[in-house]
């Protein structure tokens, strides 16, 4: 059932969005995930380095 839901949502979005809008949406989502991941990795690295200096 989930497979049909995914297919129907994909087809619906392809019908409603033009190609430029669809690509813009994909890149916006990708950009935000990239920013979140980079901030998370930098935060973890800073935490590890500060933890290592205190010990």
């Amino acid at each position: 059932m989930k497979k049909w839901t995914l297919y129907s949502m994909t087809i619906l979005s392809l019908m409603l969005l033009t190609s430029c809008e669809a690509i813009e949406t994909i890149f916006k989502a990708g950009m935000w995930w990239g920013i979140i991941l980079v901030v998370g990795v930098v935060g973890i690295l800073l935490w590890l380095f500060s933890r290592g200096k205190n010990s």
Side-chain angles (χ1 to χ4, degrees):
M1 192 66 175
K2 288 182 182 180
K3 192 184 275 190
W4 286 108
T5 304
L6 180 62
Y7 288 146
S8 62
M9 285 175 35
T10 304
I11 291 171
L12 182 65
S13 66
L14 288 174
M15 286 182 183
L16 293 176
L17 297 174
T18 64
S19 60
C20 292
E21 289 174 347
I23 297 217
E24 179 185 3
T25 304
I26 290 168
F27 277 111
K28 279 184 182 179
M31 179 187 68
W32 282 111
W33 273 110
I35 290 171
I36 291 168
L37 288 175
V38 167
V39 168
V41 168
V42 168
I44 290 172
L45 287 174
L46 289 174
W47 177 70
L48 286 174
F49 284 130
S50 67
R51 186 174 167 216
K53 289 181 181 181
N54 290 338
S55 296

